[in-house]
Amino acid sequence: MEWEAVIGLEIHAQLATKSKIFSGASTAFGAEPNTQACAVDLALPGTLPVFNAEALRMAVMFGVAIEADIGHTSVFDRKNYFYPDLPKGYQTSQLFHPIVGIGHIDIELEGGSTKRIGVTLAHLEEDAGKSLHEEFPSMTGIDLNRAGTPLLEIVSEPDMRSAEEAVAYVKKIHAIVTNLGICDGNMAEGSFRCDCNVSVRPKGEEKLGNRTESKNINSFRFIEKAIKGEIIRQIDLIEDGHTITQETRLYDANKDETRSMRSKEEANDYRYFPCPDLLPIVIDDDYVEQIRNCLPELPDARKARFIEQFKLGDYDAMVLSAYRELGGFFETTANTAGDAKLAANWVMGELSKHLNQHDTDITVSPVTAEMLGGLLLRIKDNTITGKIAKQVFEAMWAGEGNADEVIEAKGLKQVTDTGAIESLVDEVISDNQPQVDQYVNAEPDKRGKMIGFFMGKVMQASQGKANPGQVQGLLKQKLDALAN
Amino acid sequence: MFEKTLAELAQGLASGEFSSVELTRSYLDRIKTEDGALNSFITVTETEALAQAEAADQRRSAGEAGTFTGLPIAHKDIFCTQGVRTSCGSRMLDSFVSPYNATVIENFNTAGAVSLGKTNMDEFAMGSSNESSFYGPARNPWNNDCVPGGSSGGSAAAVAGRLAPAATGTDTGGSIRQPAALCGITGLKPTYGRVSRYGMIAYASSLDQGGPMARTAEDNAMMLNVMAGFDPKDSTSIDKAVPDYTLALNDSLKGLKIGLPKEFFSGEIDPQITTQVQNAIREFEALGATVKEISLPNTQLAIPAYYIIAPAEASSNLSRFDGVRYGHRCEEPTDLEDMYKRSRGEGFGEEVKRRIMVGTYALSEGFYDAYYKKALQIRRLIQQDYVNALSEVDIIMGPTTPHPAFKLGEKSSDPIAMYMEDIFTISLNLAGMPGMSIPCGFANGLPVGLQLIGNYFAEERLLNASHQFQQATDWHKQAPTS
């Protein structure tokens, strides 16, 4: 039988506000445990929440970006359950009147077609703290630094049919929130995480199968693997005559499998009700319009512009528009260098490689866009070769100055003096008589390939500094002269 | 000295008749001798009080004294007080020393007031008799076998027993007005949002409101001047200018339109109370007011609606008391669930548990629409009743309670009978409007309270009417013999 997967996703994007959603405490990541939790975050008796207007602005930005209905009146609800890292015994969330209503995004599929994915809603809520089970033998440590951090929970329609579509959707949402500047998108730190709802049904069947939810997956790759694995698990179970239990599962990245966390029967009754400590949020049209007018360029628009303005290919344009900072970096580099294609290659190649290797965010890259653009200028004006440029890049990364300083200090300037190159060429020809003989005796149409050997020798002799074009021209001229 | 009102004590301090230290010392001494019988205080903060009094005297000699500088008052133990145990009448918070001040406490500190200590109350403000306090019931100064009312029973008993000239209270379903009535003092529940709830331990957030309790309307006005105001830390507090509540006290009542809801004068009500209330209304007529009968048709729905909404909010508000970060934690928990169950089981008393259970049930999946949502609809109807009535009249009057103070233990085994004592006060919290209770006579030697209800932010008018009544009568001057 042919099976069809039905996938819906819930994404938790941590909003990039400076302070928490209902208190003045800082949201910065990585502080000493419980140093960024104030009386409100600790849920001391008598404390009350005050809504951070910045979180509202960010949520509305997202709503505008996905062309969603923005609720005119939005209400916070309490989701009641007990857990030690949930200080109030309830999470302030939104159930009945979320800020962002129905919207949509378009994802690109393999082969260039696009598919529209519905976004059911996006609501604001506060994050819980963290329970630390490993650090304290037979005890649990509670760190409430994260408690009260604003989250935007983005709920999709069950519109995706494969793990690839799901990942394309997550990447698009990621690109939108990072381009808007409302989320840093850092998946490793948990700023952007995903719950995957997966069910399968026979192809052509309307009725949905029982679904499972795999929680808190924090990388694109894991999302893809978890969904693929879950689809296979479900199909295998059904084909073996079992039924799928509706349950919450936990994805274990180390074992690359999901395992049962709790079934629906064990699920909490959260006893949602409107939070009486917070007034309904009234959003007027002017406010939404104001945000619409100030919205930064969105990934789709930026991608289209990169193709139009810089004549980039579809793939390059998509990659470079996926993050606001990356796109900005590329644009500055391209404009400085005056060569978009070269800039795209270097940003996606050497720069990205270094950022990944050193686990460095592009915003703090030791090689700035201006520096990279300056380096590319020196390639374009033949001051250095592409190969030497990589060496210069390394030096710039290590903090040894800008391209011109490094080239000067290390004496990496390309040799373009014809006399100097000619003497190197003559030297190589006289030192490699057997290869010269082969060249001379070869059919003329085979000689083109054979010239590479001599190129290599000359470049080596010049320590990479000889202008490759000049070397090639001289070699061809002199070898061909010997042949004829 | 103990018969002096807050206003008179302020004069005494201003004229140098006595110092704040002398005044505070006298009250502290009186608490020592008299509170054994009344149990109106949970914590007496003698050292802090004397330090505050000394600072107040210094302020005065430096010429920087305000109206309230050096006046000793007491605070209901629901207001978080920095460095002082804030128990909320519960074993759960018996060990809780607040690291911060409630806005109300902060306001009194800024005004230079002296805090004598923290008064007894029903556990988490849940009760109408003070009998649910972990610290034992406070007693009615008029008859120590009787309850002082609740939940602000300790504040009412302390003021009536002359252990403090004034005290703060909170009112969720009548918790200021009912004990004020039962103890023969004057208390005001302001408009919801008029006084900050920050640092006031929540019982039912949409109903809770702090307010003053003292012997006279004038003293209430002085207290409210300090308490009222917008607080950015409380999203439900209202950003509206605060008048000087003492300025309109002497306005004439000529032409004041009083409405008497027929629902407040029928049914299960002590006839002596009706008589005293009617006498008081005649007094208002003599002062120039006109009277007409009105109707609050949904009054009978108030108690059922309240006992859904308040417990529902409470069940969630009290979830933070889990033994994890502060408050009572059971000995040697075997696991998380055991810790939750025993910490909460041991920390909460019977009435609190009852309301948590009721509220949890009312919010449960499948019951929400039938209970909570329906109760909210009733709440709107009740609110509309008041809005309609107050478009016809200036002040609604009636009895504060159906009976005078009852005996300790008399109703504690019958929660419904206890809940019915709030029949005349509870609906106002659902509507959010201000109400007062002032002494207007006696029934069997126990005080009777007259309730005055006004429109949103009509505190000035209520205080004015009450003050005029108190200029013409002396019920508020009656003191229990101790």
Side-chain angles (χ1 to χ4, degrees), chain B residues 2 37 153 165 238-239 268 275-276 278 332 346 354 362 386 393 399 418 427 435 454 460:
Chain B
F2 302 115
I238 292 167
D239 195 357
E268 176 66 16
T275 307
Q276 297 300 340
Q278 280 163 347
E332 304 286 328
E346 295 160 6
R354 178 166 21 246
Y386 277 103
V393 298
M418 186 79 90
S427 59
E460 261 184 302

Side-chain angles (χ1 to χ4, degrees), chain A residues 39-51 78 80 82-90 96 142 144 268-274 276-279, chain B residues 80 93 96 99-100 192 197-201 205-206 232-236 312-313 316-317 319-322 324-326 336 340 344 360 363-365 368 372:
Chain A
V40 175
D41 305 320
L42 294 170
L44 289 184
T47 55
L48 295 170
V50 177
F51 181 44
R78 290 185 184 176
N80 295 284
F82 285 96
Y83 204 71
D85 59 25
L86 186 73
K88 295 190 293 292
Y90 56 83
F96 303 109
I142 306 293
L144 295 176
N268 283 307
D269 175 356
Y270 292 118
R271 308 190 315 278
Y272 278 97
F273 77 107
D277 287 330
L278 291 160
L279 301 176
Chain B
C80 283
L93 293 179
F96 176 68
Y100 78 103
Y192 182 80
R197 293 188 297 115
Y198 189 77
M200 194 177 103
I201 298 174
S205 312
S206 74
K233 289 189 216 146
D234 173 4
S235 309
T236 62
E313 292 182 14
S316 175
N317 283 335
S319 292
R320 66 185 61 197
F321 305 110
D322 56 5
V324 174
R325 300 167 313 287
Y326 51 78
L336 181 61
Y340 282 151
R344 287 169 67 79
T360 302
L363 291 174
S364 301
E365 206 175 328
Y368 182 87
Y372 190 73

